[in-house]
Amino acid sequence: MAMAQTTTIPVNVGLILDMDTMVGKKWLSCISMALSDFYASNGHYRTRLVLNPRDSKNDVVGAASAALDLLKNVQVKAIIGPSTSMQADFVIELGHKAQVPIISFSATSPPLSSPYFIRATHNDSSQVKAISAIVQAFGWKEVVPIYVDNEFGEGIIPFLTDALQEIYVIVPNRSTIPASATDDQLVAELKKLRTMKTRVFIVHMLSTLGSRLFIKAKELGMMTEGYVWIISDALINELHSINSSVIDSMQGAIGVKSNVPRTKKLEDFTIRWKRQFLLDNPTMFNTELGVFELGAYDAATALAIAVEKVGDNNLGFQKANRSIKNSTNLETFEVSSNGPMLLQALQNTKFRGLNGDFYLVERQLQSSVFQIINVIGDGGQGIGFWTAENGIVRELDIRNKNKNSISKANLGSIIWPGNRTCPPKGWEIPTNGKKLRIGVPVKSGFLKFVVVKRNPGTNTTNVTGYCIDIFNTVMEALPYTVPYEYVPFATDDGKSAGTYNDLVYQVYLGKYDAVAGDTTITASRSQYVDFTIPFAESEVSMVVPFKDNESKNAWVFLKPLTWELWVTSFCSFVFIGFVIWVLEHRLNQDFRGPPSHQIGTMFWFSFSTMVFAHKEKMVGNLSRFVVIIWVFVVLILSQSYTASLASMLTVQHLQPTVTDVNELINKGAYVGYQEGSFFLGLLKQMGFHENKLKPFSSAEECHELFSKGSGNGGFAAVFLETPWIKLFFSKYCSKYTMVGPTYKTAGLGFVFPKGSPLVPDVSRAVLHVTEGDKIIELERKWLGQETSCAGSTTSLSFNSLGLESFWGLFLIVGVTSGLALAIFMITFIHEHWDTIRCCDPNSSIWKTLVMFARAFDQKDLSSHIFLRREVRDRSCRIGMDRLGSPEASTLTNCSPTPSMFTLHASSNSNAPPSPLNFSPRPEQSCVFFGNQGTPSHEFGDPNSLEQTTQEISPAIELTSQITDTDSVMSYH
């Protein structure tokens, strides 16, 4: 660069780069153009940076030697570089001693720190959150970091491990590769990784080593389906400068890189830089700019701004105060006079650069946005972004309100290794190319669970069924891939090779790697193998046929109700009849008459309510109220009785042939069990003799043996697990039922060798499958819809209705009836107390009760019922007097009553005796009066009510001689 004019102040700055590499040449070109652009637009600045480039020779020692030369001989005020974190580790210590700021745009290792070290790029630790968000979004639970074994590689690991632990991701292993590793060393390390089950790798190394790593990984088949490669920005940032053959070996990998906003300034600079770079380096054709190239441009600009702020104050160096004899060159460093001022100016420098906003926090550039890249085709394709505020997002939008999103749905389409679009599970059981051998039983019945079909032509076997579909679904739900194949447990001719216990024992012997069967294991086999969490609960139950109980009990109609309820109901009917008679006797002619008639009416009315056939009309309001409540209770009782009787007659006649296990044992009946299951040992433990146990293989055979019966070569009962019972009932539900106690089993699960690492994962996958809708779909597919079977699901026991279900109703009836009765008695005593006591105030209690009883037996003539009748009778008498004959009553619609033909005796005491004159008996000397003062002879001569027509004819003739109708008085 040409020297500045005499009006400007030159300021020497050092530049340590790998000059012989293409990357170094790009960086130098960008720095030179940055200073040219800066001073072209700021010609009035007094200071001018003078670059003093040194070649680090791509070596730590070379970088340290270059720094010593610049500090001692050139006395530069600042140094830009060096290229790598390893080189910077020693150079920044030299800068600290000389108090010269060291500005690096490519040393990203987090441990690098010094008061005079300026990191004009982001720290590697800032990208670990973006990487962990990707891992969390796809649900991977284990990852293995692959990094170079030096300060650069090791610097990020503590931060990456902490970020993964926060999301509960395990780091089971770490792969460290020497910076100078040979191809053989790379292959050996990759082969070791291939034998592990983890398939998610995070690569953190520079492009020189990373390119070779991916080439060898592809050669070993580790860039195929099932693998996940996540690359840090150290390699992704240099993707534009990597050879196309290397990119081809990285297809499907994803990574993160610092986001560079697209601006007009960046586009203009890119065009100008490419033109200038090709002029200076005509043999180089890779003219793409990366993050570090743009960082070099911004670092040079920042230093130019800071130097201008400091000006020409104290641009010299001061000799260090050293009194140590025989000191080395390092101890005799001269110290920059304006170093602290320049450092402060750099920390306060802020501007809009090509890489975005340039501002330092704790002497390093901040980066809060990373772009997520998918390596596909000729380079990297952006699929989304990660920001500290919003997490994973598809597009950068200031209006985005998502907080810490970890949804993979926010990413674009990804092409994974092996040209797959489905995200890898990230975990695979290493089998070295071998598939797990899954043993399955071979059966001739109940083929819904496991179906083994052999094709003799192709010598292949197709295994399907309910249990097989569940096993396939569970294996797909694992977080890793497990290759497996089904191997039937059969002989050469295709028949079963043994029982289920025999099959399980083959896993212990190593013939099979697992068993996907259709039953559980016994305790004797559990010591050899591990059993996963069951995918279907199971219980052992006894199934027996129905018998039709044709003999009907003649007294079956009494069974719907218990005897307590029968007695209570009968007493309630009697009580209600009595209450109604008491309330209606004085008001209602239907409840009067001879005692036998009244008792009959009382019982008739009460029990007629049972069928709602009562015809007596209620007159009193109290009796109406009681009847309303009682009819409601009778309705509930009758309906309950009807329903209970109908249920008893239609259901109870289906009775099981056997109800108890001990009954089978005592009778010596034959019992069936499913062939090949563990039931044989279970039934022996229950007390059955082995000679009484018969195996069967299918539902049809079971039904046939049931039909024969225990005495004709069949059996009386069978023991089955719940899933098989459902399948059996789906065909014969109306003929059989479950009885007796149930016996718990382990359920239907899968068998693995003892200590197999697959058992915990498969068990978790089983829980995941059974908690979702998939298990329901498989049950409907293979076992069909749940069958509604009256014979198997309806309880065969019948319980009579008891008093405990209706005592509330009887309590309501008792309270309402008692209340009505109490109201009536209080009212009656209050109305007749004074009238009765006036006859004899000194009468005994007994006489008083007798007089009350006689008063109760009288009609209540004050009631509106009898008042209407009195008016009608009076009208009839007047009409008869005018017509002069009893037949006139037919003309006035009057009915002859005793009261129309009975008159008082004449007031003339000398009148001759007549049938109309009578004298009350001595005990009837006290006359009772109603409320209206009407004399009552209710307790008069009872024969007066029984007079024949001939006896009362003189009275009829006498009525024609009476002219004063008002003197007619009626008795009865």
Side-chain angles (χ1 to χ4, degrees):
M1 184 174 180
M3 295 296 295
Q5 299 177 359
T6 56
T7 56
T8 60
I9 302 173
V11 179
N12 287 319
V13 296
L15 183 61
I16 302 177
L17 300 174
D18 299 331
M19 299 298 184
D20 293 337
T21 63
M22 181 180 65
V23 174
K25 294 180 181 298
K26 287 183 178 182
W27 291 350
L28 177 60
S29 176
C30 288
I31 292 173
S32 299
M33 186 169 288
L35 296 181
S36 177
D37 292 344
F38 180 77
Y39 291 121
S41 59
N42 298 280
H44 58 285
Y45 279 16
R46 298 181 59 194
T47 58
R48 293 291 187 274
L49 297 186
V50 179
L51 294 179
N52 295 272
R54 295 291 187 272
D55 187 5
S56 64
K57 303 184 184 302
N58 198 22
D59 182 69
V60 174
V61 177
S65 177
L68 283 172
D69 177 56
L70 291 172
L71 293 174
K72 290 181 63 68
N73 300 325
V74 185
Q75 295 187 339
V76 293
K77 305 303 182 294
I79 294 178
I80 300 178
S83 303
T84 65
S85 297
M86 292 73 67
Q87 297 173 10
D89 191 21
F90 187 70
V91 171
I92 60 177
E93 291 297 328
L94 297 178
H96 176 61
K97 289 181 176 294
Q99 296 186 3
V100 172
I102 307 298
I103 308 170
S104 177
F105 52 84
S106 57
T108 57
S109 180
L112 295 177
S113 179
S114 173
Y116 282 86
F117 176 61
I118 301 295
R119 196 195 308 270
T121 184
H122 70 270
N123 191 325
D124 278 342
S125 63
S126 61
Q127 64 181 312
V128 297
K129 292 290 186 181
I131 294 174
S132 66
I134 296 175
V135 174
Q136 187 177 12
F138 289 96
W140 299 314
K141 297 302 180 182
E142 289 191 8
V143 300
V144 174
I146 305 175
Y147 56 95
V148 62
D149 188 14
N150 56 26
E151 294 87 346
F152 167 74
E154 294 175 351
I156 194 177
I157 296 303
F159 301 94
L160 179 61
T161 303
D162 291 344
L164 294 173
Q165 288 179 350
E166 289 179 2
I167 59 174
Y168 305 102
V169 174
I170 301 174
V171 181
N173 191 23
R174 301 178 185 181
S175 177
T176 57
I177 298 179
S180 58
T182 63
D183 289 348
D184 292 339
Q185 289 177 309
L186 290 175
V187 170
E189 186 64 25
L190 289 173
K191 284 184 177 180
K192 184 174 68 174
L193 294 175
R194 191 174 60 177
T195 61
M196 300 178 184
K197 59 183 179 181
T198 305
R199 291 292 183 263
V200 181
F201 306 114
I202 299 177
V203 179
H204 180 63
M205 55 185 60
L206 297 176
S207 60
T208 52
L209 182 61
S211 299
R212 295 169 52 212
L213 176 74
F214 278 101
I215 290 175
K216 295 303 177 183
K218 184 178 181 180
E219 292 176 357
L220 293 174
M222 298 178 68
M223 296 303 297
T224 56
E225 181 183 1
Y227 286 88
V228 178
W229 295 87
I230 303 176
I231 309 173
S232 69
D233 65 348
L235 183 55
I236 287 293
N237 285 336
E238 298 298 324
L239 197 62
H240 62 279
S241 61
I242 296 178
N243 190 278
S244 59
S245 61
V246 177
I247 294 179
D248 183 65
S249 66
M250 298 172 63
Q251 296 294 300
I254 57 177
V256 295
K257 60 177 291 187
S258 299
N259 181 58
V260 178
R262 296 296 177 181
T263 61
K264 186 66 168 63
K265 180 180 179 180
L266 177 59
E267 294 177 359
D268 294 340
F269 170 75
T270 302
I271 295 174
R272 291 189 297 108
W273 177 84
K274 286 184 177 181
R275 185 185 304 114
Q276 183 62 41
F277 185 76
L278 289 175
L279 290 176
D280 297 338
N281 303 278
T283 58
M284 296 183 180
F285 299 100
N286 191 335
T287 57
E288 297 296 328
L289 289 173
V291 175
F292 291 144
E293 284 81 3
L294 302 180
Y297 185 97
D298 290 345
T301 303
L303 181 57
I305 294 174
V307 168
E308 180 63 25
K309 290 180 181 179
V310 175
D312 56 354
N313 297 327
N314 299 322
L315 294 178
F317 274 67
Q318 298 178 355
K319 293 195 177 199
N321 185 13
R322 302 292 182 185
S323 58
I324 303 177
K325 295 181 179 180
N326 299 324
S327 61
T328 63
N329 288 336
L330 294 178
E331 293 171 339
T332 58
F333 258 3
E334 294 184 353
V335 178
S336 175
S337 300
N338 65 346
M341 298 175 59
L342 182 58
L343 178 65
Q344 186 64 35
L346 281 169
Q347 294 186 73
N348 296 332
T349 299
K350 296 180 181 180
F351 63 94
R352 181 71 174 177
L354 297 180
N355 253 341
D357 293 333
F358 186 97
Y359 69 96
L360 302 175
V361 176
E362 295 183 354
R363 301 183 305 278
Q364 62 184 5
L365 197 64
Q366 298 302 299
S367 179
S368 60
V369 180
F370 286 90
Q371 188 178 16
I372 303 175
I373 301 296
N374 181 205
V375 181
I376 189 69
D378 297 333
Q381 179 179 344
I383 56 175
F385 298 89
W386 179 88
T387 67
E389 297 81 12
N390 306 118
I392 297 177
V393 294
R394 184 68 183 91
E395 299 289 345
L396 291 177
D397 189 350
I398 59 175
R399 296 171 297 179
N400 196 321
K401 296 182 180 180
N402 292 334
K403 297 296 182 182
N404 298 323
S405 172
I406 55 170
S407 174
K408 62 183 178 182
N410 292 338
L411 295 174
S413 59
I414 302 176
I415 303 299
W416 300 95
N419 199 29
R420 300 292 182 178
T421 58
C422 182
K425 295 180 179 179
W427 202 7
E428 182 176 333
I429 296 297
T431 59
N432 295 326
K434 296 181 180 179
K435 294 182 178 181
L436 295 182
R437 293 170 56 85
I438 311 300
V440 293
V442 176
K443 296 184 177 182
S444 58
F446 293 101
L447 299 180
K448 295 288 186 178
F449 295 95
V450 178
V451 184
V452 179
K453 293 184 179 179
R454 194 170 185 178
N455 189 339
T458 59
N459 197 25
T460 58
T461 302
N462 184 30
V463 182
T464 58
Y466 172 66
C467 298
I468 301 303
D469 277 3
I470 291 181
F471 186 82
N472 293 334
T473 305
V474 167
M475 301 307 284
E476 291 176 359
L478 292 175
Y480 47 85
T481 302
V482 179
Y484 59 91
E485 61 180 350
Y486 293 109
V487 181
F489 183 53
T491 59
D492 294 338
D493 56 356
K495 297 182 179 180
S496 176
T499 66
Y500 189 78
N501 275 348
D502 297 333
L503 172 59
V504 170
Y505 192 65
Q506 300 302 312
V507 177
Y508 171 73
L509 297 178
K511 183 177 180 180
Y512 297 111
D513 297 308
V515 169
D518 57 347
T519 185
T520 183
I521 61 173
T522 60
S524 61
R525 287 291 181 256
S526 62
Q527 58 182 325
Y528 301 112
V529 295
D530 281 338
F531 197 58
T532 65
I533 290 179
F535 58 83
E537 294 183 357
S538 180
E539 295 177 340
V540 177
S541 298
M542 183 171 67
V543 178
V544 299
F546 279 126
K547 66 177 180 179
D548 190 3
N549 186 12
E550 296 293 345
S551 61
K552 304 298 181 181
N553 193 331
W555 302 99
V556 68
F557 67 90
L558 295 176
K559 291 184 178 180
L561 306 182
T562 61
W563 68 270
E564 295 94 343
L565 187 55
W566 278 117
V567 172
T568 304
S569 300
F570 178 79
C571 294
S572 298
F573 276 103
V574 174
F575 175 69
I576 291 299
F578 172 74
V579 171
I580 296 301
W581 175 79
V582 170
L583 299 177
E584 290 289 317
H585 177 68
R586 302 184 72 243
L587 304 175
N588 197 333
Q589 190 68 32
D590 292 337
F591 289 86
R592 301 188 63 82
S596 60
H597 173 75
Q598 296 184 46
I599 294 174
T601 302
M602 178 179 66
F603 280 97
W604 158 255
F605 173 81
S606 178
F607 285 96
S608 65
T609 58
M610 185 167 55
V611 291
F612 308 102
H614 49 284
K615 298 182 179 179
E616 291 77 12
K617 184 177 181 182
M618 297 295 100
V619 176
N621 289 330
L622 289 176
S623 57
R624 291 172 178 172
F625 175 69
V626 173
V627 169
I628 289 174
I629 301 298
W630 174 244
V631 168
F632 174 72
V633 174
V634 171
L635 175 64
I636 294 178
L637 281 174
S638 61
Q639 293 295 328
S640 301
Y641 174 84
T642 303
S644 181
L645 181 62
S647 176
M648 181 186 64
L649 293 176
T650 57
V651 176
Q652 195 179 16
H653 69 280
L654 294 177
Q655 297 288 343
T657 56
V658 181
T659 59
D660 186 53
V661 174
N662 295 325
E663 183 181 351
L664 292 172
I665 298 175
N666 296 332
K667 289 182 177 179
Y670 285 92
V671 174
Y673 68 94
Q674 187 181 0
E675 185 178 11
S677 68
F678 65 94
F679 286 17
L680 181 61
L682 176 64
L683 294 176
K684 289 181 180 179
Q685 294 177 3
M686 294 170 61
F688 289 98
H689 196 275
E690 187 172 359
N691 295 332
K692 298 296 182 180
L693 302 178
K694 289 188 174 184
F696 64 91
S697 59
S698 65
E700 293 76 14
E701 183 182 359
C702 178
H703 174 62
E704 181 181 353
L705 292 174
F706 260 133
S707 302
K708 292 181 179 180
S710 178
N712 299 316
F715 41 63
V718 298
F719 285 84
L720 285 172
E721 288 185 273
T722 305
W724 283 263
I725 292 177
K726 292 181 179 179
L727 198 60
F728 183 66
F729 280 168
S730 65
K731 288 187 175 182
Y732 308 106
C733 67
S734 61
K735 300 180 181 295
Y736 305 95
T737 184
M738 293 186 297
V739 295
T742 58
Y743 305 91
K744 288 287 186 179
T745 64
L748 304 185
F750 307 120
V751 178
F752 287 87
K754 200 74 174 179
S756 171
L758 283 173
V759 173
D761 299 326
V762 172
S763 296
R764 283 190 289 268
V766 168
L767 284 177
H768 176 73
V769 171
T770 54
E771 289 175 354
D773 297 333
K774 187 64 176 180
I775 188 72
I776 300 176
E777 296 177 5
L778 294 178
E779 287 181 356
R780 291 175 178 173
K781 174 183 176 182
W782 290 101
L783 306 183
Q785 298 286 348
E786 185 174 350
T787 305
S788 177
C789 184
S792 61
T793 60
T794 304
S795 175
L796 298 177
S797 61
F798 175 79
N799 296 323
S800 299
L801 299 175
L803 181 60
E804 63 277 0
S805 302
F806 299 96
W807 69 268
L809 293 174
F810 291 115
L811 178 62
I812 294 174
V813 170
V815 171
T816 55
S817 301
L819 182 62
L821 199 60
I823 293 174
F824 171 81
M825 295 303 298
I826 292 173
T827 304
F828 173 77
I829 294 173
H830 179 265
E831 291 179 351
H832 295 82
W833 181 261
D834 294 336
T835 305
I836 292 175
R837 295 300 293 175
C838 73
C839 295
D840 188 1
N842 298 321
S843 60
S844 63
I845 296 177
W846 175 251
K847 281 189 174 184
T848 302
L849 293 177
V850 171
M851 295 174 70
F852 268 113
R854 290 175 177 174
F856 170 74
D857 194 45
Q858 294 181 15
K859 295 182 179 179
D860 186 3
L861 298 178
S862 64
S863 172
H864 67 283
I865 301 299
F866 294 108
L867 288 178
R868 287 199 303 268
R869 182 175 296 175
E870 181 67 23
V871 172
R872 185 183 62 194
D873 292 348
R874 183 180 296 272
S875 300
C876 290
R877 288 196 301 272
I878 295 173
M880 291 174 62
D881 291 341
R882 291 176 178 176
L883 294 175
S885 66
E887 288 79 0
S889 62
T890 59
L891 301 176
T892 57
N893 294 325
C894 295
S895 299
T897 63
S899 61
M900 296 174 60
F901 307 105
T902 306
L903 301 176
H904 283 292
S906 173
S907 59
N908 186 358
S909 61
N910 296 323
S914 73
L916 298 177
N917 293 325
F918 66 90
S919 299
R921 290 189 295 270
E923 63 271 16
Q924 296 175 335
S925 58
C926 187
V927 180
F928 297 94
F929 293 86
N931 290 340
Q932 303 300 326
T934 305
S936 176
H937 289 265
E938 184 73 25
F939 292 93
D941 186 2
N943 295 325
S944 64
L945 298 177
E946 300 175 359
Q947 294 176 349
T948 63
T949 307
Q950 290 79 10
E951 292 174 335
I952 65 174
S953 59
I956 298 175
E957 296 175 358
L958 182 60
T959 57
S960 64
Q961 300 175 4
I962 300 174
T963 58
D964 187 4
T965 59
D966 295 335
S967 64
V968 178
M969 301 184 66
S970 173
Y971 296 87
H972 282 225

